[in-house]
Amino acid sequence: MSATPDRGGSGASGRPVRTAAVIPAAGRGVRLGPGAPKALRPLNGTPMLVHAVRAMAGSRAVSLVVVVAPPDGADEVRLLLDAHPLSDSLSDTTEVVVVPGGETRQESVRKGLAAVPETVTTVLVHDAARPLVPVDTVDAVVAAVRDGAPAVVPALPLADTVKQVEPRTGERAGEPEPVVGTPERALLRAVQTPQGFDRATLVAAHEKITLEGEGATDDAGMVERLGVEVVVVPGHEEAFKVTRPLDLVLAEAVLARRRANDGF
Ligand SMILES: Nc1ccn([C@@H]2O[C@H](COP(=O)(O)OP(=O)(O)OP(=O)(O)O)[C@@H](O)[C@H]2O)c(=O)n1
Ligand SMILES: C[C@](O)(CO)[C@H](O)COP(=O)(O)O
């Protein structure tokens, strides 16, 4: 895997890049506990970020991957990617670029987007923290954008019932929280990444959020605020987000099962 400089809109194959993936990887991973930045922590001996880059490069549609590194960690990430090859068959056709990220996920994605060349029409945004997303899920998102949807999210139905509560803060923090509602579960979806966008739509959404200074926890949420329709395609259980320590155990178990099943 070579973290090469931008070729001005041409991919490693020399053809114009039509589909790019931005991978925000600048988070600290506070909920995972003390240690290196989350994206750099190993899963079965290989950094989480490397798994995520391979997952994006595994789609034949994706010819450019923009990795958004911790703000002061771009050189370290370049070295790390150079030390870990993409799969042999894809290494000649996927370019990987590394840029420094920001203080929030939104700022990191915005900085990654700025490194996407004008030739690109479809942009995927994929959390480094979802390293095991299957290629079929990536391809389904790309196909839906190419079929005309301006914003596409992979998502799953919920297993748990969800309650809306009135959070207790200040002196009342820690007290039981009153339930104020129970949304109808059948209408809810748990949203994953990669989320796919028509490039101009995603750029406009980030410009609006940046101007208004309001946060959003995912990119599709920003597009919703533009009044543009977002559609859902089926997500995958293995696209879960590595957030807490138990998720590392699950991720390593998934990798072990893949290796046992097909020599991954
Ligand atoms: N300033 C930030 C914060 C988050 N992310 C990225 O956004 C994705 C989703 O974020 P999350 O899982 O919440 O990661 P962290 O912010 O690292 O987690 P925590 O909130 O536990 O610190 C991750 O790939 C993370 O690296 C980023 O690029 N820049
Ligand atoms: C983008 C995301 O993964 C969709 O589920 C999620 O919103 C990221 O949230 P986090 O709080 O940054 O983990």
Side-chain angles (χ1 to χ4, degrees), residues 3-54:
T4 56
D6 186 4
R7 293 188 175 86
S10 296
S13 66
R15 287 191 300 274
V17 180
R18 287 181 57 211
T19 301
V22 173
I23 302 186
R28 300 176 61 86
V30 171
R31 289 169 286 182
L32 203 54
K38 179 161 71 180
L40 307 188
R41 297 196 208 186
L43 280 183
N44 276 10
T46 301
M48 200 179 302
L49 172 62
V50 172
H51 289 285
V53 174
R54 287 176 178 163

Side-chain angles (χ1 to χ4, degrees), residues 31-113:
R31 289 169 286 182
L32 203 54
K38 179 161 71 180
L40 307 188
R41 297 196 208 186
L43 280 183
N44 276 10
T46 301
M48 200 179 302
L49 172 62
V50 172
H51 289 285
V53 174
R54 287 176 178 163
M56 292 301 104
S59 168
R60 296 210 165 267
V62 175
S63 44
L64 169 67
V65 176
V66 178
V67 172
V68 188
D72 56 357
D75 288 340
E76 183 187 353
V77 165
R78 279 188 198 101
L79 288 173
L80 182 139
L81 294 176
D82 283 344
H84 291 84
L86 291 171
S87 76
D88 290 343
S89 59
L90 293 165
S91 57
D92 290 341
T93 58
T94 308
E95 182 183 5
V96 182
V97 171
V98 180
V99 299
E103 285 306 309
T104 63
R105 182 183 183 282
Q106 190 261 325
E107 193 184 345
S108 293
V109 174
R110 185 173 55 79
K111 288 184 161 189
L113 255 182

Side-chain angles (χ1 to χ4, degrees), residues 31 105 127 130 191-193 195 217-218 241 243:
R31 289 169 286 182
R105 182 183 183 282
D127 294 332
R130 296 184 187 270
V191 171
Q192 305 177 325
T193 70
Q195 300 187 349
T217 54
D218 74 335
K241 186 152 68 68
T243 305

Side-chain angles (χ1 to χ4, degrees), residues 21-25 68 104-113 123-128 130 141 150-154 191-210 214-231 241:
V22 173
I23 302 186
V68 188
T104 63
R105 182 183 183 282
Q106 190 261 325
E107 193 184 345
S108 293
V109 174
R110 185 173 55 79
K111 288 184 161 189
L113 255 182
V123 179
L124 303 178
V125 181
H126 181 61
D127 294 332
R130 296 184 187 270
V141 171
V152 179
V153 295
V191 171
Q192 305 177 325
T193 70
Q195 300 187 349
F197 304 93
D198 157 64
R199 178 176 184 273
T201 302
L202 184 61
V203 169
H206 272 267
E207 279 172 0
K208 179 174 165 68
I209 289 279
T210 304
E214 284 183 33
T217 54
D218 74 335
D219 301 279
M222 299 177 208
V223 169
E224 287 163 48
R225 290 196 202 166
L226 286 179
V228 172
E229 185 181 61
V230 176
V231 297
K241 186 152 68 68

